[in-house]
Amino acid sequence: MISNNNRPVINKIANKTYRANRNRNFIAIVAIVLTTVLFTTIFTMGFELLNTVKQENIRKAGGDGQIVLSNITDEVYKKVKDNPRIDKIAYTKLVADEILEDSLRGLKSEMWYMDNTAIEFAGYKLEDGHFPQTQQEIITDSKLLEGLGIEKKIGTSIKLNYRVKDKFRTEEFILAGYWNAEEFSDVHRIIVSKDYLNAIQNDIPYTYDIDMNYSGSVVVYINFKDDKKLSEQITMMLEESGYVWEGMGADKNASNFVIARISPAYLFTASLDNSSVIMGLIGATLLIFVTGYLIIYNIFQISVMQDIRFFGQLKTLGTTEGQLKQLLQKQANRLAAIGIPIGLILGYFLGVLLVPALMQSTTYKTADSVQITVIPIIFLGAAFFSFITIYISVSIPRKVASKVSPLEALRFVDTKSKKLKKEKQSVNGGKIYRMAIANLGRNRKRTLLVVFSLGLAAVLFNSVFTFVNGFDEEAYVNNFLDKDFIISTAEYFNYAFDKSEYRIPQSYIDYVKSQPEFGEGGRLIRTKVLQEQFFAESDLLPSPNRDVNGYPMIDLYGADDYLLQSMDLLEGVLDFDKLKAGAGIIIGISDSGFGNAEANIPIQVGDKIKIHFYDVTDEINLHETAVREFEVIAKVLIKENTYTDRHTGNTNIYIPSDVFLEYIKNPVTVSYIFNCKEGEKNIQQMQEKLEYYVKSNSLLNFDSKKKYLDEFSGVKNTFVIIGSVFGGIIAFIGIVNFFNAMFTSVLTRKGEFAMLQSVGMTDQQLKSMLITEGLIYAIATILLSILFGTVVSLTIVKIVSHSIWFFTFRFTLLPIMVLSPIFIIIAIMVPYFLCRGLEKESIIVRLRTE
Amino acid sequence: MGTKNRISTDTLIRIRNYGNGVFIIVSGGISFILQSKVNFILYGLCILTILLNGLISRQLIREIETYSDILEKNITQIIQDGKMQEFFRYQDSLLSKSQMQLARLCDHIERVVGEAKQDKEILQSLVSDIAHQVKTPIANAVLYTTALQKKDLSVEKRTCYLKILSEQIDKLDFLMDNLLKMSRLEVGIFLLSPQVLSVQETLAGVLGSVAMKAAEKDITIYVECEEELTALHDRKWTDEVLENVLDNAVKYTPEHGNITVSVKRYEIYTLIEISDTGIGIPQEEIPKIFQRFYRGKNVRDKAGVGIGLYLARQILSMEKGFISVQSVCGKGSKFSIYLSNY
Amino acid sequence: MEDILVTRELKKYYGEGNTLTKALDGIDLTVKKGEFVAVVGASGSGKSTLLHMLGGLDNPTSGKVIVEGSELGTLNRDELTVFRRRQIGFIFQNYNLVPVLNSYENIILPLELDGRQPNQEYITKILKIMHLSEKKFALPSQLSGGQQQRVAIARALASNPSIILADEPTGNLDSNTSQEVLGLMVESVHILNQTLIMITHNMQIAQMADRIIYIEDGKIVEH
């Protein structure tokens, strides 16, 4: 059927009714703005977070590019580069094996040739200068320059010593440009010019397949035009050029085998998990939706109830249900059209302000490099969600309005259409407090609804606060380090202990020991993998590396007694006699956090294992030197960051250091771990001393509980700030809601009050009655909040807390306690002041206007 | 709304079809050239939108054609059977609205036809009534004319006969007069031209002609009317009305009775109240006395054709006034004539 | 003349048990098109309830209301609303004007709700007759009681409904205004052949009707 052309009249009535409803409009717009602000802030932050994470991961990996072909030859490059699937291809070649500058010891530095695409991929934006052109020109990053002590001035000459294959070279380069290094970049590169590359071409032949020497090998980064099905595309691309890779199940030793990898960034395995950010976003969105819904629903529900006679009147005159629904919807739309844009703008700025705070909490401390981008999708998304919230909130009031019976227009009293079944057998109804109760009981549904929605906001606020408050620093820190300090070489803390030649000088350890704050400590010793290796005759130990017999490789450590004594015993007993006799070993199980064993190795205490000791020559050849049998006397829980060289994969096995030193020819001290004397002050002072010490000694470094604590505090503070902001807004919404409920409950009954006063109720009595009503609301709300708040805390929040390892659930009702007096004050003040206002009008006027 | 510069729906459809085709081809081409996955999604969405739009616009046109079809059928049904089928009485749609208007038209026509029929019937009965009434005077006239033609008639008898003859002719005259008035009924009223005139003057005219008849029955007429009072009315026809009412008042009031005429001005109307101490009108009759061709039951024998009050009401109504009556049997009647002030 | 409105065994009960109220207890009523029916009765006798039933404002407990051949009980809510819009003109005791619309807008509201174009000449005429021409753009709060009532009446007339249901339309007016207003209504109704059903306690007014119905305790009684 063709719909009737009666649309304009509804518009007209909507407009006029809109203008007549100033109060409701104001509060509704406030509510809408708040809701939109919340959505926008969340989206802005979430988006920035995701974006930044992705960018930083890419940077961390050293260069953009979906695919990396590592250690290939120029030939491979030439064959592959013209493949039609490729959108962009970046060419890089390592031109030096090692940079031999002492001052750069603490920094992982490499010398590369990178073409322009590669530089673009790596995200190196030159702060000053230009790409290297002449043979002598190089560009590098700020950190490296600082390390070398070189001025960041273009044209400065830089003298570098480096090793290419087995030749040592010295070259004087000229700084052509530099970029600002990211705080956390793993690699600091020195980039040479094409001319230079050509010049030393012959010195850097590709020898990787022979001696695993990196210089001369090419690393190529590729972006495909289609960013889907990367694995298949690699396969196709390589096949077309006549190569194979791991993803095809090919043999590693094949002559046409190429090492290809999909960039981790595109695999979405970021250290700040993308999926957790998305879950967080979804959770927050739901939360905001519920909060917004509560208040907007309330506002419209109250508004509809106030105007019920009007709707009944319209029904009498011939307005259909559909038309009434449209009437309300148009008004809601108008309010949304005003409130949402305001909310978007405010929310955006709030999000922008909060993003840096958020960033500090992660390992990406790059506040300056976070580019705040204005993405339309944030606004569209927030506006969309906000509108959806409004739409859903309005749907029930809309329905109520449309189903009004036309007879409502003829009624004078605010009654429900359902007639009460029982008579009221009482004679004491005239007392003020009873009247107050009866008033609330008149529309039980409405009363409950109001109390419920008010209480829920308080509950939400409480839950958010409880959650945020659950950050447990102790637990966090203990996961990494269970002693006050650990000192070692800088490379150790860079997870590069294995590769470095540098050893901890005894002077470092002595220095620490000589401090008055020093308490007790011990060494952790092991061998260099390239010199001595150990394999255990046991199937029960996992290891990726096996010897010719198929025995798994183990990491054997020697530990000072102090360390052994303080290890966390899982099974067995620390029998020092057996240990000292060289007959016992302790197996270390990694702690996955919170004192839980990550993967318990099935080996039993009491089992006997034979361990084969090997010497390594030429880095590959193994010569067995001894086989010794040990008994497993205990299993302990170890923190990887404390009791290993931070390079794992094999089972960690401990024996006393003296025993270790007996068996091993070339022991290396991994680290020295110690506790300070009791007292915060001692720790503080030791920390300062160590900081000073390593400042002048870039090859050394240290870790402390305090460092982790500080780091974590940053995280905690961020969450507290964000949680408080959100919680605060939610609480504010709850307060506005409460205020609105009180306000309208008085205003709606203006005529009724006038009638009461005309039969003799004094102003004071009226005030008492209303204040009593308000107090009942407030107290009911508070009690409900406490009840539900507790329930929700003990269930949902607790579960969430337990799922995150550095959280401890700390029950609190503080937020509710804080809101309670505010509610009570509003419950008293609003009726009081409204009554004062009413007193100014005469009773007749008030009766008439009803 | 003019229909001159509007584009026909056929043209619109043609534009839509060609436009869609061109758009699909062009965007398909661009999509293909740019060869990006996102483009194909957008392209697909475009096609969907176009399809949806096409379906909807086709459906809209169908609805319009259905609307026209049903109405067409309805009109045919009315002409043939007198009622509509497929009548959507209370739907909030354009069709329903139009059908209701159609139904109204039907009712209107029915009513007019019915009224005309009724009028015809009543007229016929009235004509036969008058014919009946005319018969007697004519018969008498013939009788007395014949009698008068006798040679040796006494002077007294002659005078008497002539008088009777005269009376009969008067009666005939009166009957013819009323017949004439009735036929002028409809035509005359269309020439009504109300103006704001002095009420007192109008009244004065009427009272003059009634006064004599009243005096004959010794009925006193009291008049209260302020000089300046004016009201909207057509003097000539309102004159008729007032005369009619006053006539009736005099007619139905026994001798030595009273008639009071009072004029009062109110916000919107000026009220002329004519009360008498007459025989009154029975309750059940009151609503009926304003009907066309009505003649009261107990006044059949009195001379007069009952078109007076119907006419009176029509006239007043056209002047934006109206008339109402209160009456108690045996005590009297009060006619309230309202004239609009402006 | 045909029947425009018929009720059969119309009953409306409220409450149950010892709170049972029989507002209407079996009303059989037939009204012809163009009739002016006056409904008279003491307060609480059920007059208003009857009017509500006739206008489809409320549903009977049992019995039927048939208007122009359609049984109101078979119409759904929206159909009833459209029925009211097109067939019925209500005049209530407390005017019931929409407070945010001016007089003119209030008068044409039923028309606009149906998407019908108001006949400007006709409306102007009504305004003139009701002496509301100067108050065309006034809001209800700016009108006196009598003026508001006239607006309500104008509204009932403007949409040309078949049936006008009036509940003590002159209840809040002084007797002179009452007469005037009433006269207006009756005349207009007469010209357009509308059916007028009016509740009144004023016998003088009732006498102007074609028929008077007496209601007592929810039933029609003979007088």
Side-chain angles (χ1 to χ4, degrees), chain B residues 180-200:
Chain B
L180 201 65
K181 261 194 198 149
M182 247 170 48
S183 71
R184 274 203 199 143
L185 205 75
E186 309 308 314
V187 179
I189 286 179
F190 288 142
L191 301 175
L192 204 69
S193 52
Q195 283 169 20
V196 178
L197 302 166
S198 161
V199 175
Q200 200 191 44

PDB file of all heavy atoms in Angstrom, chain B residues 180-200:
ATOM      1  N   LEU B 180     -46.851  29.647  -4.279  1.00  0.00           N
ATOM      2  CA  LEU B 180     -45.841  30.442  -4.948  1.00  0.00           C
ATOM      3  C   LEU B 180     -44.599  30.584  -4.067  1.00  0.00           C
ATOM      4  O   LEU B 180     -43.463  30.424  -4.508  1.00  0.00           O
ATOM      5  CB  LEU B 180     -46.429  31.817  -5.264  1.00  0.00           C
ATOM      6  CG  LEU B 180     -45.713  32.585  -6.386  1.00  0.00           C
ATOM      7  CD1 LEU B 180     -45.873  31.829  -7.696  1.00  0.00           C
ATOM      8  CD2 LEU B 180     -46.333  33.971  -6.516  1.00  0.00           C
ATOM      9  N   LYS B 181     -44.907  30.911  -2.815  1.00  0.00           N
ATOM     10  CA  LYS B 181     -43.792  31.074  -1.865  1.00  0.00           C
ATOM     11  C   LYS B 181     -42.928  29.832  -1.809  1.00  0.00           C
ATOM     12  O   LYS B 181     -41.714  29.883  -1.842  1.00  0.00           O
ATOM     13  CB  LYS B 181     -44.347  31.339  -0.459  1.00  0.00           C
ATOM     14  CG  LYS B 181     -44.356  32.764  -0.069  1.00  0.00           C
ATOM     15  CD  LYS B 181     -44.580  32.888   1.440  1.00  0.00           C
ATOM     16  CE  LYS B 181     -45.020  34.315   1.726  1.00  0.00           C
ATOM     17  NZ  LYS B 181     -45.904  34.441   2.836  1.00  0.00           N
ATOM     18  N   MET B 182     -43.573  28.699  -1.753  1.00  0.00           N
ATOM     19  CA  MET B 182     -42.834  27.445  -1.664  1.00  0.00           C
ATOM     20  C   MET B 182     -41.941  27.241  -2.861  1.00  0.00           C
ATOM     21  O   MET B 182     -40.806  26.808  -2.733  1.00  0.00           O
ATOM     22  CB  MET B 182     -43.831  26.285  -1.616  1.00  0.00           C
ATOM     23  CG  MET B 182     -43.826  25.570  -0.316  1.00  0.00           C
ATOM     24  SD  MET B 182     -45.210  24.441  -0.240  1.00  0.00           S
ATOM     25  CE  MET B 182     -45.038  23.643  -1.828  1.00  0.00           C
ATOM     26  N   SER B 183     -42.490  27.574  -4.036  1.00  0.00           N
ATOM     27  CA  SER B 183     -41.673  27.350  -5.228  1.00  0.00           C
ATOM     28  C   SER B 183     -40.516  28.327  -5.271  1.00  0.00           C
ATOM     29  O   SER B 183     -39.462  28.032  -5.801  1.00  0.00           O
ATOM     30  CB  SER B 183     -42.552  27.480  -6.481  1.00  0.00           C
ATOM     31  OG  SER B 183     -42.895  28.838  -6.654  1.00  0.00           O
ATOM     32  N   ARG B 184     -40.760  29.475  -4.664  1.00  0.00           N
ATOM     33  CA  ARG B 184     -39.664  30.440  -4.632  1.00  0.00           C
ATOM     34  C   ARG B 184     -38.644  30.090  -3.565  1.00  0.00           C
ATOM     35  O   ARG B 184     -37.561  30.651  -3.519  1.00  0.00           O
ATOM     36  CB  ARG B 184     -40.235  31.827  -4.299  1.00  0.00           C
ATOM     37  CG  ARG B 184     -40.726  32.579  -5.473  1.00  0.00           C
ATOM     38  CD  ARG B 184     -40.725  34.035  -5.126  1.00  0.00           C
ATOM     39  NE  ARG B 184     -41.590  34.759  -6.050  1.00  0.00           N
ATOM     40  CZ  ARG B 184     -42.359  35.775  -5.742  1.00  0.00           C
ATOM     41  NH1 ARG B 184     -42.420  36.177  -4.488  1.00  0.00           N
ATOM     42  NH2 ARG B 184     -43.077  36.376  -6.637  1.00  0.00           N
ATOM     43  N   LEU B 185     -39.111  29.177  -2.705  1.00  0.00           N
ATOM     44  CA  LEU B 185     -38.320  28.770  -1.552  1.00  0.00           C
ATOM     45  C   LEU B 185     -36.832  28.704  -1.846  1.00  0.00           C
ATOM     46  O   LEU B 185     -36.033  29.450  -1.302  1.00  0.00           O
ATOM     47  CB  LEU B 185     -38.792  27.392  -1.109  1.00  0.00           C
ATOM     48  CG  LEU B 185     -38.553  27.020   0.351  1.00  0.00           C
ATOM     49  CD1 LEU B 185     -39.526  27.750   1.220  1.00  0.00           C
ATOM     50  CD2 LEU B 185     -38.687  25.533   0.521  1.00  0.00           C
ATOM     51  N   GLU B 186     -36.526  27.789  -2.736  1.00  0.00           N
ATOM     52  CA  GLU B 186     -35.111  27.546  -2.985  1.00  0.00           C
ATOM     53  C   GLU B 186     -34.454  28.729  -3.679  1.00  0.00           C
ATOM     54  O   GLU B 186     -33.359  29.123  -3.315  1.00  0.00           O
ATOM     55  CB  GLU B 186     -34.927  26.291  -3.842  1.00  0.00           C
ATOM     56  CG  GLU B 186     -35.666  25.078  -3.301  1.00  0.00           C
ATOM     57  CD  GLU B 186     -35.369  24.781  -1.845  1.00  0.00           C
ATOM     58  OE1 GLU B 186     -34.180  24.809  -1.486  1.00  0.00           O
ATOM     59  OE2 GLU B 186     -36.303  24.577  -1.061  1.00  0.00           O
ATOM     60  N   VAL B 187     -35.136  29.227  -4.685  1.00  0.00           N
ATOM     61  CA  VAL B 187     -34.523  30.319  -5.470  1.00  0.00           C
ATOM     62  C   VAL B 187     -34.343  31.551  -4.623  1.00  0.00           C
ATOM     63  O   VAL B 187     -33.279  32.149  -4.585  1.00  0.00           O
ATOM     64  CB  VAL B 187     -35.403  30.645  -6.698  1.00  0.00           C
ATOM     65  CG1 VAL B 187     -34.779  31.789  -7.480  1.00  0.00           C
ATOM     66  CG2 VAL B 187     -35.550  29.421  -7.571  1.00  0.00           C
ATOM     67  N   GLY B 188     -35.394  31.858  -3.931  1.00  0.00           N
ATOM     68  CA  GLY B 188     -35.377  33.104  -3.171  1.00  0.00           C
ATOM     69  C   GLY B 188     -34.228  33.185  -2.192  1.00  0.00           C
ATOM     70  O   GLY B 188     -33.570  34.216  -2.045  1.00  0.00           O
ATOM     71  N   ILE B 189     -33.988  32.102  -1.556  1.00  0.00           N
ATOM     72  CA  ILE B 189     -32.993  32.149  -0.493  1.00  0.00           C
ATOM     73  C   ILE B 189     -31.610  32.461  -1.027  1.00  0.00           C
ATOM     74  O   ILE B 189     -30.808  33.074  -0.351  1.00  0.00           O
ATOM     75  CB  ILE B 189     -33.005  30.823   0.283  1.00  0.00           C
ATOM     76  CG1 ILE B 189     -34.246  30.795   1.160  1.00  0.00           C
ATOM     77  CG2 ILE B 189     -31.752  30.658   1.108  1.00  0.00           C
ATOM     78  CD1 ILE B 189     -34.401  29.560   1.959  1.00  0.00           C
ATOM     79  N   PHE B 190     -31.348  32.062  -2.237  1.00  0.00           N
ATOM     80  CA  PHE B 190     -30.017  32.349  -2.761  1.00  0.00           C
ATOM     81  C   PHE B 190     -29.777  33.825  -2.962  1.00  0.00           C
ATOM     82  O   PHE B 190     -28.670  34.255  -3.165  1.00  0.00           O
ATOM     83  CB  PHE B 190     -29.790  31.625  -4.098  1.00  0.00           C
ATOM     84  CG  PHE B 190     -29.614  30.155  -3.899  1.00  0.00           C
ATOM     85  CD1 PHE B 190     -30.150  29.276  -4.800  1.00  0.00           C
ATOM     86  CD2 PHE B 190     -28.920  29.660  -2.805  1.00  0.00           C
ATOM     87  CE1 PHE B 190     -29.995  27.916  -4.628  1.00  0.00           C
ATOM     88  CE2 PHE B 190     -28.776  28.311  -2.617  1.00  0.00           C
ATOM     89  CZ  PHE B 190     -29.310  27.422  -3.536  1.00  0.00           C
ATOM     90  N   LEU B 191     -30.837  34.601  -2.878  1.00  0.00           N
ATOM     91  CA  LEU B 191     -30.648  36.033  -3.070  1.00  0.00           C
ATOM     92  C   LEU B 191     -30.553  36.759  -1.741  1.00  0.00           C
ATOM     93  O   LEU B 191     -30.732  37.940  -1.642  1.00  0.00           O
ATOM     94  CB  LEU B 191     -31.812  36.618  -3.886  1.00  0.00           C
ATOM     95  CG  LEU B 191     -31.970  35.984  -5.270  1.00  0.00           C
ATOM     96  CD1 LEU B 191     -33.217  36.552  -5.956  1.00  0.00           C
ATOM     97  CD2 LEU B 191     -30.749  36.307  -6.124  1.00  0.00           C
ATOM     98  N   LEU B 192     -30.249  35.996  -0.732  1.00  0.00           N
ATOM     99  CA  LEU B 192     -30.151  36.591   0.594  1.00  0.00           C
ATOM    100  C   LEU B 192     -28.903  37.463   0.697  1.00  0.00           C
ATOM    101  O   LEU B 192     -27.827  37.037   0.337  1.00  0.00           O
ATOM    102  CB  LEU B 192     -30.051  35.455   1.617  1.00  0.00           C
ATOM    103  CG  LEU B 192     -30.493  35.732   3.051  1.00  0.00           C
ATOM    104  CD1 LEU B 192     -31.970  35.912   3.111  1.00  0.00           C
ATOM    105  CD2 LEU B 192     -30.069  34.588   3.937  1.00  0.00           C
ATOM    106  N   SER B 193     -29.023  38.686   1.170  1.00  0.00           N
ATOM    107  CA  SER B 193     -27.815  39.507   1.365  1.00  0.00           C
ATOM    108  C   SER B 193     -27.852  40.168   2.732  1.00  0.00           C
ATOM    109  O   SER B 193     -28.404  41.258   2.912  1.00  0.00           O
ATOM    110  CB  SER B 193     -27.700  40.568   0.258  1.00  0.00           C
ATOM    111  OG  SER B 193     -28.905  41.291   0.160  1.00  0.00           O
ATOM    112  N   PRO B 194     -27.283  39.499   3.711  1.00  0.00           N
ATOM    113  CA  PRO B 194     -27.350  40.035   5.063  1.00  0.00           C
ATOM    114  C   PRO B 194     -26.426  41.242   5.237  1.00  0.00           C
ATOM    115  O   PRO B 194     -25.326  41.280   4.702  1.00  0.00           O
ATOM    116  CB  PRO B 194     -26.861  38.874   5.933  1.00  0.00           C
ATOM    117  CG  PRO B 194     -26.427  37.792   5.002  1.00  0.00           C
ATOM    118  CD  PRO B 194     -26.540  38.260   3.606  1.00  0.00           C
ATOM    119  N   GLN B 195     -26.932  42.206   6.010  1.00  0.00           N
ATOM    120  CA  GLN B 195     -26.099  43.361   6.350  1.00  0.00           C
ATOM    121  C   GLN B 195     -26.350  43.721   7.798  1.00  0.00           C
ATOM    122  O   GLN B 195     -27.334  43.287   8.395  1.00  0.00           O
ATOM    123  CB  GLN B 195     -26.503  44.561   5.490  1.00  0.00           C
ATOM    124  CG  GLN B 195     -25.969  44.470   4.065  1.00  0.00           C
ATOM    125  CD  GLN B 195     -26.624  45.528   3.209  1.00  0.00           C
ATOM    126  OE1 GLN B 195     -27.150  46.509   3.731  1.00  0.00           O
ATOM    127  NE2 GLN B 195     -26.609  45.320   1.914  1.00  0.00           N
ATOM    128  N   VAL B 196     -25.439  44.515   8.324  1.00  0.00           N
ATOM    129  CA  VAL B 196     -25.629  44.940   9.712  1.00  0.00           C
ATOM    130  C   VAL B 196     -26.610  46.111   9.715  1.00  0.00           C
ATOM    131  O   VAL B 196     -26.306  47.206   9.254  1.00  0.00           O
ATOM    132  CB  VAL B 196     -24.289  45.364  10.346  1.00  0.00           C
ATOM    133  CG1 VAL B 196     -24.536  45.848  11.764  1.00  0.00           C
ATOM    134  CG2 VAL B 196     -23.309  44.206  10.333  1.00  0.00           C
ATOM    135  N   LEU B 197     -27.784  45.776  10.205  1.00  0.00           N
ATOM    136  CA  LEU B 197     -28.834  46.799  10.156  1.00  0.00           C
ATOM    137  C   LEU B 197     -29.487  46.944  11.513  1.00  0.00           C
ATOM    138  O   LEU B 197     -29.298  46.108  12.405  1.00  0.00           O
ATOM    139  CB  LEU B 197     -29.910  46.378   9.145  1.00  0.00           C
ATOM    140  CG  LEU B 197     -29.402  46.134   7.713  1.00  0.00           C
ATOM    141  CD1 LEU B 197     -30.469  45.402   6.915  1.00  0.00           C
ATOM    142  CD2 LEU B 197     -29.096  47.484   7.044  1.00  0.00           C
ATOM    143  N   SER B 198     -30.254  47.949  11.656  1.00  0.00           N
ATOM    144  CA  SER B 198     -30.928  48.188  12.920  1.00  0.00           C
ATOM    145  C   SER B 198     -32.016  47.157  13.134  1.00  0.00           C
ATOM    146  O   SER B 198     -32.862  46.906  12.282  1.00  0.00           O
ATOM    147  CB  SER B 198     -31.555  49.589  12.915  1.00  0.00           C
ATOM    148  OG  SER B 198     -32.543  49.669  13.914  1.00  0.00           O
ATOM    149  N   VAL B 199     -31.977  46.552  14.277  1.00  0.00           N
ATOM    150  CA  VAL B 199     -32.952  45.520  14.602  1.00  0.00           C
ATOM    151  C   VAL B 199     -34.333  46.160  14.829  1.00  0.00           C
ATOM    152  O   VAL B 199     -35.364  45.648  14.419  1.00  0.00           O
ATOM    153  CB  VAL B 199     -32.506  44.756  15.867  1.00  0.00           C
ATOM    154  CG1 VAL B 199     -33.570  43.775  16.293  1.00  0.00           C
ATOM    155  CG2 VAL B 199     -31.187  44.063  15.608  1.00  0.00           C
ATOM    156  N   GLN B 200     -34.242  47.273  15.481  1.00  0.00           N
ATOM    157  CA  GLN B 200     -35.508  47.933  15.825  1.00  0.00           C
ATOM    158  C   GLN B 200     -36.331  48.258  14.582  1.00  0.00           C
ATOM    159  O   GLN B 200     -37.543  48.048  14.542  1.00  0.00           O
ATOM    160  CB  GLN B 200     -35.212  49.220  16.602  1.00  0.00           C
ATOM    161  CG  GLN B 200     -36.386  49.710  17.391  1.00  0.00           C
ATOM    162  CD  GLN B 200     -36.117  51.100  17.913  1.00  0.00           C
ATOM    163  OE1 GLN B 200     -35.622  51.960  17.201  1.00  0.00           O
ATOM    164  NE2 GLN B 200     -36.484  51.335  19.148  1.00  0.00           N
TER     165      GLN B 200
END
